[in-house]
Amino acid sequence: MKYKDIIAEMTLEEKASLMSGKDYWQTQDIERLGIKSIFLADGPHGIRRQAVAADKLGLNEGVPATCYPTAATVANSWNVELGEKVGEYLGEEAIEQNVNVLLGPGINMKRNPLCGRNFEYFSEDPYLTGKMAAGYIRGIQSFGVSACVKHFAVNNQEEKRMTIDTIVDERALREIYLTAFEIAVKEGNTKAIMSSYNKLNGTYTNENTHLMQDILRGEWQYDGTVITDWGGSNDRIEGLEAGNELEMPTTGGETDQEIVAAICNGDLSEDILDKSVDRLLDLIFTTQNAYKKPKIDFDIEKHHRVSQKVAEESIVLLKNDQEILPLKFGKKVAVIGDFAKDARYQGAGSSIVNPTILDHTMDCFEESGIINIGYEPGFERYGKKDPKKIENACELAKQADVVLLYIGLDEVTEAEGLDRKDMKIPENQIELLEALHAVNPNIVGIISCGSAVEMPWIDKVQGLLHGYLGGQAGARAILRVLSGDVNPSGKLAESYPLKYEDTPSYQHFPGKEATVEYRESIYIGYRYYDSADVDVLFPFGFGLSYTTFEYSDISVDKNGVSFKLTNSGSKAGMEVAQLYVGCKSGNIFRAKKELKGFIKVFINAGETKTVRIPFNDNTFRYFNVKTNQWEIEKAEYQIMIGASSADIKLQEEVFMEGTNAPLPYVKELLPSYYKGQVNQVPSDEFEHLIGEKLPDPNWDRDKPLGYNDMIAQCHYAKGVFGRLLYKSVLFSHWFLRKIGKRSTANLIMMSIYNMPFRGIARMTGGMVNMPMVDGILMMVNGRFFKGFFHLLKEKFKLAKAKNPKTL
Ligand code: BGC
């Protein structure tokens, strides 16, 4: 242990006290030993530091900070160095704001396009995610502060995120859901990891020894800190035993006392506590070292411009018929769409950044050189139909050469704690598009949202630009692409299915009650569409440019692949070349191809560059469930170089000797997986894959509600009080939406409806403790008066313990 001398001086109570927060954002301090608190702040695409004293629940607006494009956006740049740059700027701002741990990046896989937090995550591909995340982490940590990758792991739906049990087979877990975390640990050297809220195969991730011990601490040799997601601690002792150092936020000392009691009665070894304290002290001391240098004031303008550059490199050009873009000199444009006036630039929830500056399209036209003849909102942002707005927009469109139509999703649709209901752009926006098309078909659509949407209307636009969520300077960045000042070079980091029903997890998302079954196994995103031959609207890795690129002269050796890239167009530009690998044997089910490398190259018009993508430990490996380790199959492999996952330009084959492991599967038992047709896997086949019987997916309605049941489950509570509580939550949600308070309505769903009862104690900073939760449970379970008096008694006891003199 690094800090054994200090630990030897601590009392048991002091050690235990370090294991949970001092308040919502800070760790505990022990003054007599010189241990100071450190500050943790969201993240991930800007600093959200709140004034401590003002807010017990972490709901206040943060101190202004640069709002960079969200991870879903930056992933489209496929530029790891750019990710590292963003990390550096975040690190610098963290220092300025006295933040020691930045709660990001978020690196969960986009298993399904409807996950409410997809805008905060990078990609559906673990390799791309891991590489981008490692860049961010290196950048953040280069300033001496710590990143905190989240949410470890398989946190892929927002609804019921604090109780849902994810049922996933070991191979998909390793290859899809953990690979990005592995890269973040091994290449990013993250100092901190946040455990997720959900369960993994029956056990809360925070207590899951397979995840936390066997894999994280064992195989990956991780020696940093594990922090619970806020309020995500279930059993503190089991969490500690699994290797969780820090429970956040504070529980007013309640769980510290549990630790002390567990050690005194022999349920927990003090050695485990000491080691956890040691690792946490390392985080505390090393991130405090960052503050030994003189403090810097960050340059607000400069950071704003960096944020713009990042957005520019992340914008994806999806369609450009008759080269409508870049806008030709002298063309008159009509600007239509509410998002042009009030830019949509980030998502909702814990990641909300209070931007230092905010660009809106209508304020940036002058410098763009585009002749703008006027603006019309065209639609009501939150979906209400308004024929007058459409009429006015059409009048304006008639006078223009080109219509710039700004459409997308509003900020409350993409939010933490809630999943989207569908993949559609609101109908009132599509009606507007149709009306505009009838009067002027020269339409360029500009989409703002952080996740994939359906586009049955795509024939009605001639050009289409996806800005994703471009941060505080995103609006200006888009104009620079429209005008041709910037040649677009982003490529999609997620697939766009033709319709939601085509997605492989369509039947199993979100998990409705107790479990969510990942029946599609390793086949998420392009791995599925490609293997099952399902047509998509835009494939993974797709994006256009104002120039063209040619690929030639592939050569493959043992260590990598080289080829030539020529810019055959007339403008300088950047191309993202992608390396995919496919295995020809068919002995083990696999996706047709998997991303194993990529490179972004700048090439002048007419120039040719030779580029190389090296192989690495990841290139040929698969996880063998029989040997329980990574293996390489002896086989012939296709080495493919593509401009997207569906546009393979060059191909070669190599033979690998492999590691001679036994075959992991009985092929006959897994026909859907061997065919790649995994959208309707029967239960028994999935059971063969996971090697055990499936747990009951439904809640047990006969049992009284307990700590880990959600408040939403009160709809079948035994007591009238419980059922009334349920109805009143639903009513408040409905009412708040009705009066236009959409964000507050969302908050009710996230922090009440989807909250387990234990969360009432874990999230209220010590105002409510677990014995009081017992009272509440009695009340909802049909013993109202007994519960009520129990609640009062415990409340009184708590108040007395806190303030013995006044009561
Ligand atoms: C979110 C985390 C966030 C934390 C602190 C949680 O609800 O899931 O991503 O870092 O709150 O705000």
Side-chain angles (χ1 to χ4, degrees), residues 152-184:
F152 190 59
V154 286
N155 178 184
N156 310 101
Q157 73 178 61
E158 284 301 290
E159 274 162 35
K160 310 184 178 65
R161 63 179 175 162
M162 296 184 86
T163 54
I164 199 81
D165 186 4
T166 303
I167 310 298
V168 59
D169 66 286
E170 187 70 19
R171 178 159 163 227
L173 178 68
R174 302 302 194 103
E175 292 185 12
I176 305 296
Y177 296 99
L178 297 187
T179 291
F181 286 99
E182 185 184 351
I183 299 174

Side-chain angles (χ1 to χ4, degrees), residues 25 42 48 103 117 150-151 161 194 197 229-230 350 416:
W25 298 116
D42 284 307
R48 186 175 73 106
L103 303 174
R117 271 183 111 167
K150 61 191 188 183
H151 310 85
R161 63 179 175 162
M194 186 190 289
Y197 283 133
D229 197 347
W230 267 232
S350 61
E416 176 178 336

Side-chain angles (χ1 to χ4, degrees), residues 75-131:
N76 295 330
S77 75
W78 294 64
N79 185 342
V80 174
E81 283 84 50
L82 191 75
E84 193 160 337
K85 266 269 152 295
V86 178
E88 283 168 19
Y89 281 86
L90 287 169
E92 190 185 333
E93 291 191 34
I95 293 277
E96 222 265 338
Q97 297 211 21
N98 284 320
V99 167
N100 304 75
V101 180
L102 178 61
L103 303 174
I107 64 174
N108 295 97
M109 286 297 104
K110 300 189 191 196
R111 171 180 179 245
N112 184 288
L114 300 188
C115 170
R117 271 183 111 167
N118 276 357
F119 71 89
E120 272 188 74
Y121 302 144
F122 290 98
S123 173
E124 66 188 24
D125 182 85
Y127 186 78
L128 176 58
T129 300
K131 289 286 173 181

